[in-house]
Amino acid sequence: MWKRLEKMAEIYVAADKDDNAIELFTHFIENHPTDLRCVDWHESIVDVRKKSTNFPDIEKAMRTFLAFTDDRTSPWVAAAKRAGAKGEEPLEKAAKMGENYLLYISNDYHQQAQKLEEQTKNADKARPLYATAAKDYQEFVRRFPQSKKACIVNFYYTEILYDQLKDYKASNEGYKAVLQRCPGGEFEEDAALGVIYSVEQLMAKEHAKWDAVKNQWVTDPTAPPLMTLADCAW
């Protein structure tokens, strides 16, 4: 019966009966959530959505898959690991799809943000889009730290933190992570400068005074900043 239903789904796809195809693939996944073929069914749903070029629909299908294969909570991933050798190929395919989907979504939001900022000349209007891109870049690095794309994604994530979100503490940590992850890479010089600039920004915002007893700087909102932005000029 399942083979006939899968064949029917393929016929729906070929005939551009997209809603019917998606309904069938979704039915397969919901009724067999630990079946190794789920990765193929999800892929088919995304491929069907891509035909329409409607980003919200594509994004929804991709995020559904990403949640489905999140190894922190996924019964499917657990089942595939228990399957031994039989589960290796589906797991590898799921990881590759996850990389591609997260890059697709994050890059789209990043480009939307840049376009909106350029059109409106207003960074605040674009900030929510930048924030979404940053969150997805961060998730990419968490899920796929060994990916060949991890360096560039880590750098883009950190650049958004510094330039658009003004999170200098997180960006300082991010630039250090880029240096550690990608020694000698194409972003090494920019990341090293980013560490310096983010520290300067933090010092410009930090009000503190020297405590001679404790022999250290102590936060004091009535004290002047550790460094003025004029001091940061090169």
Side-chain angles (χ1 to χ4, degrees), residues 17 35 57 61 67 88 132 149 152 164 186 196-197 229:
K17 295 183 177 180
D35 193 303
D57 287 343
E88 290 178 1
T132 300
K149 299 287 187 180
I152 189 170
Q164 281 79 35
E186 63 176 306
I196 296 171
Y197 294 153
L229 289 178

Side-chain angles (χ1 to χ4, degrees), residues 70-225:
D70 188 334
D71 60 6
R72 296 172 298 184
T73 57
S74 172
W76 181 85
V77 170
K81 289 179 178 179
R82 288 195 301 269
K86 289 183 179 180
E88 290 178 1
E89 187 174 341
L91 283 169
E92 289 177 6
K93 181 175 182 177
K96 191 63 178 178
M97 286 168 57
E99 284 190 47
N100 291 336
Y101 291 171
L102 259 178
L103 278 178
Y104 182 97
I105 296 169
S106 55
N107 283 340
D108 197 285
Y109 272 104
H110 199 169
Q111 290 171 15
Q112 286 184 55
Q114 291 173 324
K115 184 177 181 180
L116 182 61
E117 184 176 8
E118 182 179 350
Q119 289 175 340
T120 63
K121 308 301 181 185
N122 187 329
D124 288 338
K125 288 185 177 180
R127 215 173 305 280
L129 293 172
Y130 278 119
T132 300
K135 184 177 180 181
D136 287 328
Y137 283 146
Q138 181 182 33
E139 176 66 0
F140 183 97
V141 174
R142 184 196 72 78
R143 288 181 71 153
F144 311 111
Q146 304 305 317
S147 169
K148 293 180 180 179
K149 299 287 187 180
C151 282
I152 189 170
V153 170
N154 202 155
F155 184 73
Y156 284 169
Y157 162 61
T158 305
E159 287 282 272
I160 291 175
L161 289 176
Y162 183 91
D163 290 324
Q164 281 79 35
L165 303 185
K166 311 300 182 185
D167 189 338
Y168 300 119
K169 186 176 186 300
S171 64
N172 179 264
E173 295 170 356
Y175 285 125
K176 289 177 181 176
V178 172
L179 291 173
Q180 184 177 12
R181 184 186 301 278
C182 321
E186 63 176 306
F187 303 109
E188 185 174 45
E189 183 177 348
D190 288 335
L193 288 172
V195 172
I196 296 171
Y197 294 153
S198 57
V199 167
E200 290 176 345
Q201 290 288 351
L202 287 169
M203 292 177 71
K205 293 178 178 296
E206 181 70 20
H207 292 258
K209 65 180 180 181
W210 182 257
D211 189 315
V213 176
K214 295 181 178 179
N215 200 34
Q216 66 183 30
W217 290 99
V218 178
T219 300
D220 183 350
T222 66

Side-chain angles (χ1 to χ4, degrees), residues 22 25-26 29 41-50 61:
I22 289 173
F25 289 129
T26 301
I29 296 166
W41 297 331
H42 272 287
E43 183 181 37
S44 295
I45 292 173
V46 171
D47 288 344
V48 169
R49 288 303 188 194
K50 279 186 172 181

